[in-house]
Amino acid sequence: MPSHLTGPTGPAAEPGSGLARRAARRAADPSRSEARRRPAAVLTTGVAAGMAVLLLAALSVVAMSRPARAAATPQEVTGFGSNPGNLRMFRYTPPGLPGGRPVVVAMHGCTQNAAGYAAGTGWMRLADTYEFSVVFPQQQTANNMNACFNWFEAGDTRRDSGEALSVKQMVDRTKRDNGSTSAYVSGLSAGGGMTSAMLAAYPDVFSGGGVIAGLPYGCADSVSSAFTCMSPGVGKSPDEWGAKVRAAFPAYSGPRPKVSIWHGTTDSTVRPMNGTELMEQFTDANGTDQTPDTTDTVGGYPHRVYGGTVETYQITGMGHGQPVDPGTGPAQCGTAAAYILDVNICSAYHLVRFWGIDDNASPQPTPVPSGTNTPTPTPTSTPPPYSDAVTGTATDHYVARRVSVEEYNKLGAAHGYTTPFPLYRCEAGWTDKADCSPV
């Protein structure tokens, strides 16, 4: 098996050792407030409690097609709210960002931090290209000794409580600062577990989400049950999972966020079963069934879409981590690091596409002719003859089984074998012609 398809591994320590240290600290200082007594277990990075942890170093970000700039890092923002979860807020705003553009929340996994996660996942490069701001919440070791978001604590995942409220306040602050009118949330591992919580608790705030190597909302309510959720996993019916989401905000009756779910098939830290349970949870919450309407491959990996509101990616052979595809192509992003895995597909890029924010156009007001209050009707556009478009090299398209060997050779001769170009999904199959004529 190629080395880039395997996640980082390491020896497991006694899972209860983190709890023992927490008890020792309490005994040494019984006056500590309850708000500071949070579970200190490694919960979703494959490194058990008690192991020495190395924080990820911030990596430089490769510029995309926009003018070159110095390597960017997210900047800390203070005073964003009451911050009951005691989190830190970091944010990246592209220079000259137009008003009204979306805000994306990207949450790291255990042992990671905001700077390392921002640099490794490619979110800042995508923010430059598609014009949105990115908020990177950062956990503190005072809350969780391994810097895990506390996705398993009811007090941190309820609406208007704990860490969930802190993240929501970061979004509110960014909306005020940048004039954003929509928000999206994603996260890896423990950050993926918190993403599920944010989608359940705040469907009125987030229009879409991305859960990467994460867990269903409401799967755990303690440290011990969190380990069970991670491995071997907890099985419930779609309705049981969906009921947990609905109970997070019972008064809500509006549209639910679109949810993209990513999981490696060899993830031994958060078992692949969790990807299936997540699909069942959010399809039920979003009012669709568990039979995919679309079954295909993207980047060579199985991809399914349910009711247009939930999609899943099974990253064959990948362990625990976030998929990236380093490079300068339009569909590439990221830099490989611990738990950020080069498997030739950029999850952040595909999240942006699924959410529908992969455009650079700022909303324009409808012109009003002089002397009238009636807006000029917007011309009706003709839908394209194709249903989807994917950019990649001739080899990418062949590996993804969009084209035959004969078509691959034709495309390579026409476009080159290393230059990315779009293929369009038409009724008769994939073609490089936007009018759906054959390759």
Side-chain angles (χ1 to χ4, degrees):
M1 179 181 295
S3 61
H4 72 276
L5 291 182
T6 60
T9 59
E14 173 59 37
S17 59
L19 300 180
R21 280 194 293 275
R22 177 159 60 107
R25 287 198 302 272
R26 287 183 176 177
D29 185 7
S31 64
R32 295 182 69 194
S33 66
E34 187 60 31
R36 306 286 281 188
R37 298 175 186 168
R38 301 204 176 177
V42 172
L43 291 175
T44 62
T45 58
V47 186
M51 299 297 295
V53 177
L54 297 177
L55 294 179
L56 299 177
L59 303 172
S60 61
V61 179
V62 180
M64 208 166 180
S65 57
R66 292 181 172 245
R69 57 174 173 80
T73 57
Q75 302 300 305
E76 184 161 14
V77 179
T78 59
F80 55 86
S82 60
N83 190 17
N86 190 33
L87 303 179
R88 296 175 69 185
M89 174 183 177
F90 291 83
R91 184 173 69 193
Y92 176 69
T93 302
L97 180 70
R101 296 300 295 162
V103 53
V104 172
V105 176
M107 292 187 282
H108 63 75
C110 301
T111 77
Q112 296 177 316
N113 59 19
Y117 189 66
T121 54
W123 274 115
M124 291 187 293
R125 176 180 164 186
L126 292 167
D128 285 338
T129 303
Y130 297 113
E131 297 184 333
F132 56 84
S133 56
V134 194
V135 169
F136 297 97
Q138 181 169 298
Q139 182 60 284
Q140 302 203 72
T141 54
N143 302 331
N144 185 296
M145 69 175 292
N146 292 294
C148 310
F149 290 102
N150 288 305
W151 59 271
F152 50 90
E153 286 279 20
D156 282 311
T157 57
R158 283 196 300 261
R159 182 178 174 88
D160 298 336
S161 176
E163 293 177 11
L165 179 54
S166 291
V167 174
K168 193 260 188 182
Q169 289 175 344
M170 296 178 194
V171 173
D172 291 342
R173 169 67 184 270
T174 303
K175 285 184 173 181
R176 291 194 301 270
D177 291 348
N178 298 340
S180 304
T181 56
S182 60
Y184 303 82
V185 59
S186 70
L188 164 66
S189 197
M194 278 302 294
T195 295
S196 298
M198 299 306 297
L199 294 171
Y202 294 104
D204 53 334
V205 173
F206 297 103
S207 300
V211 184
I212 303 170
L215 304 106
Y217 173 70
C219 184
D221 57 7
S222 67
V223 172
S224 59
S225 61
F227 277 110
T228 301
C229 288
M230 291 164 57
S231 179
V234 174
K236 294 183 181 295
S237 70
D239 182 67
E240 288 175 312
W241 283 126
K244 289 180 177 291
V245 172
R246 290 183 286 272
F249 187 10
Y252 184 72
S253 59
R256 293 281 174 178
K258 299 177 71 174
V259 185
S260 183
I261 300 161
W262 295 68
H263 223 103
T265 61
T266 61
D267 190 337
S268 60
T269 303
V270 179
R271 295 286 184 176
M273 174 182 178
N274 284 284
T276 301
E277 302 304 306
L278 277 162
M279 177 275 292
E280 293 181 351
Q281 179 167 65
F282 285 106
T283 51
D284 186 82
N286 288 11
T288 188
D289 60 29
Q290 291 72 52
T291 301
D293 302 296
T294 299
T295 300
D296 58 7
T297 59
V298 176
Y301 298 112
H303 170 242
R304 296 176 177 84
V305 183
Y306 303 80
T309 67
V310 176
E311 68 171 359
T312 63
Y313 283 85
Q314 291 178 299
I315 309 304
T316 311
M318 189 183 79
H320 189 64
Q322 176 150 342
V324 296
D325 183 15
T328 58
Q332 293 181 294
C333 77
T335 303
Y339 307 109
I340 299 176
L341 309 179
D342 178 5
V343 291
N344 299 320
I345 187 169
C346 169
S347 53
Y349 167 77
H350 287 282
L351 289 177
V352 166
R353 291 199 63 207
F354 184 63
W355 296 336
I357 60 175
D358 56 333
D359 65 88
N360 292 332
S362 300
Q364 298 295 321
T366 303
V368 179
S370 177
T372 177
N373 292 324
T374 304
T376 300
T378 302
T380 302
S381 59
T382 302
Y386 55 87
S387 59
D388 193 11
V390 177
T391 299
T393 65
T395 301
D396 292 335
H397 294 312
Y398 176 71
V399 171
R401 300 180 181 178
R402 299 186 191 101
V403 297
S404 65
V405 173
E406 180 182 359
E407 290 169 329
Y408 165 73
N409 290 326
K410 287 183 180 179
L411 292 171
H415 302 280
Y417 291 92
T418 60
T419 302
F421 60 91
L423 277 191
Y424 304 94
R425 186 173 190 167
C426 302
E427 186 173 347
W430 292 90
T431 175
D432 60 337
K433 308 297 193 303
D435 63 358
C436 282
S437 56
V439 171

